[in-house]
Amino acid sequence: MDFMERALSLARLAIGSTSPNPAVGAVICKDGVVIGEGYTEPPGSAHAEVVALKNAGERSRGATMYVTLEPCCHFGRTPPCTQAIIKGGISEVHIATLDPNPLVCGRGKAELDAAGIKTMLGEHEEEASELNEAYIKFITTGLPFVTAKFAMSLDGKIATRTGDSRWISGEDSREYVHRLRRAVDAIMVGVNTILADDPRLTAGDRLKRGGEIKNPVRVIVDSKGRTPPTAQALKQPGKIIVATTPLAPPALIKKLKEAGAEVLELPSFSPDEGLVDLGELLKELGREEITSVLVEGGGTLLGSLFEGGLVDKVIAFIAPVIIGGAGARLAVGGRGAEKIPDTLRLSHVKVEHFGDDVMMCGYIGE
């Protein structure tokens, strides 16, 4: 058995429930047999290493631990995991990757080394880093990790010339999108998407497996306060933020607040156009410990984010349909590149199939 791969599988079970902490998995084995395992519980509860140690009990003495992220060595909401590992009598620890948190980075490993515990670093490092890519960006910059997601036709349209967009992608793709939503802290859309589609912006009942579904924070970018107080997104459980500018009339802001929204007035990036300064918006979300944002459109918002260099990752679903029409809505708006060398190119590209749709996923700036 690949024990680190098992630990990564456990860590994936924690995604969406640990923020702003990382999702971590831990496995303890002795003589080639797993005797304890666990993954990070919600903030304020036990970390993966502690869960695994509790599961193993006294059998942990002389055993080996595999953990997907360097054990913490400082007091936060919980005591240091390094001390629990030392106290548990673990003799060897395999760490997939170091924790970039300045309070930990290298110190957790050093503390284990100093206690006479043999440590090994780097098994499945790439997978472990990708699993916590949002945490890594947030802990090092204070900004959320931004993923741009859109579904488009073969000719790059997200709606017909009349605005009809349901449904370009298939059922399998939409199921996967709900999983993406459950994994992030926030979903962001522009006001035009609210006006055109009136989405709920929830993780969906289809993912419920007993207990409550965690719905991400909903963020509407609305520079002029045009979001209807009756919008479906305002009626769903959980927090909703409407980001606006001084151009939004006070009467409309009052109605949005009465409908349950937290209205965030931000400076305008372009006074002439009155657009919300998206860089400032992301800083505000970071201050609220929102570590990941899934941006679901529309084209105007995505165009502004791309042109501002604010997107980290792209997930595009391409459906085998052709919409056509010069007036049909595009997936990404804005000015666009003047020359091919100026275009944004994805790296570390992955391609998957969801029914008849093709999903392309990659990173910007790597």
Side-chain angles (χ1 to χ4, degrees):
M1 176 186 289
D2 186 332
F3 295 111
M4 188 62 80
E5 181 56 50
R6 173 61 184 167
L8 286 166
S9 296
L10 290 166
R12 292 185 186 101
L13 296 176
I15 292 176
S17 64
T18 63
S19 183
N21 294 332
V24 181
V27 171
I28 300 173
C29 65
K30 182 182 283 187
D31 300 324
V33 177
V34 174
I35 59 173
E37 59 183 24
Y39 53 86
T40 310
E41 296 180 349
S45 302
H47 290 186
E49 300 93 322
V50 174
V51 176
L53 285 165
K54 184 177 180 181
N55 189 236
E58 286 299 316
R59 295 176 296 169
S60 65
R61 300 202 169 275
T64 299
M65 174 181 285
Y66 292 79
V67 62
T68 59
L69 189 70
E70 180 182 15
C72 65
C73 55
H74 66 290
F75 280 89
R77 292 184 176 94
T78 59
C81 289
T82 49
Q83 291 302 308
I85 292 169
I86 294 168
K87 185 177 179 181
I90 295 290
S91 63
E92 185 175 318
V93 177
H94 293 239
I95 303 167
T97 186
L98 294 178
D99 187 339
N101 185 339
L103 296 174
V104 182
C105 194
R107 294 184 176 90
K109 180 181 181 301
E111 191 169 305
L112 296 176
D113 288 333
I117 297 174
K118 181 181 178 181
T119 59
M120 300 182 70
L121 178 66
E123 292 177 45
H124 292 283
E125 182 174 10
E126 185 175 345
E127 298 100 309
S129 296
E130 182 179 348
L131 192 146
N132 276 307
E133 58 193 8
Y135 165 77
I136 290 170
K137 181 185 179 184
F138 175 75
I139 205 67
T140 54
T141 68
L143 297 172
F145 186 89
V146 177
T147 299
K149 189 280 297 181
F150 49 89
M152 64 182 185
S153 62
L154 275 175
D155 53 342
K157 312 293 187 180
I158 60 172
T160 67
R161 59 183 173 79
T162 63
D164 184 31
S165 62
R166 296 191 179 185
W167 296 98
I168 290 177
S169 58
E171 177 68 20
D172 291 345
S173 296
R174 298 198 298 275
E175 172 87 16
Y176 184 71
V177 169
H178 279 85
R179 295 185 183 280
L180 290 175
R181 287 179 175 182
R182 194 178 186 186
V184 299
D185 290 344
I187 301 171
M188 182 186 294
V189 298
V191 65
N192 289 333
T193 296
I194 296 295
L195 295 173
D197 301 333
D198 196 20
R200 293 189 302 162
L201 302 179
T202 60
D205 294 336
R206 70 184 77 190
L207 292 175
K208 195 166 185 177
R209 298 290 186 272
E212 292 297 319
I213 279 289
K214 172 228 172 191
N215 278 314
V217 175
R218 303 179 298 286
V219 182
I220 301 172
V221 181
D222 181 3
S223 60
K224 298 178 182 178
R226 293 186 293 146
T227 300
T230 56
Q232 287 295 320
L234 292 169
K235 299 177 181 179
Q236 309 309 313
K239 184 174 182 177
I240 182 162
I241 298 172
V242 178
T244 188
T245 71
L247 293 177
L252 294 179
I253 290 178
K254 183 174 183 291
K255 289 182 179 179
L256 289 173
K257 289 181 177 179
E258 290 173 348
E262 174 186 320
V263 179
L264 188 62
E265 185 176 302
L266 295 166
S268 172
F269 176 74
S270 171
D272 294 336
E273 299 179 33
L275 301 176
V276 171
D277 189 324
L278 298 173
E280 287 301 313
L281 171 57
L282 292 176
K283 289 179 184 177
E284 287 293 334
L285 296 180
R287 281 190 274 270
E288 295 195 25
E289 294 193 323
I290 290 175
T291 68
S292 56
V293 178
L294 181 66
V295 184
E296 297 201 19
T300 301
L301 175 59
L302 287 172
S304 296
L305 286 165
F306 279 117
E307 290 178 354
L310 301 174
V311 177
D312 298 294
K313 186 176 184 178
V314 176
I315 298 177
F317 295 90
I318 305 166
V321 298
I322 296 173
I323 292 176
R329 288 160 53 191
L330 296 171
V332 180
R335 295 185 302 275
E338 292 186 4
K339 298 181 179 181
I340 294 300
D342 300 328
T343 58
L344 296 173
R345 184 172 292 274
L346 301 185
S347 64
H348 299 84
V349 173
K350 296 179 182 178
V351 177
E352 295 183 45
H353 286 82
F354 289 89
D356 290 334
D357 300 338
V358 174
M359 184 194 78
M360 181 175 288
C361 171
Y363 297 85
I364 291 178
E366 293 193 10

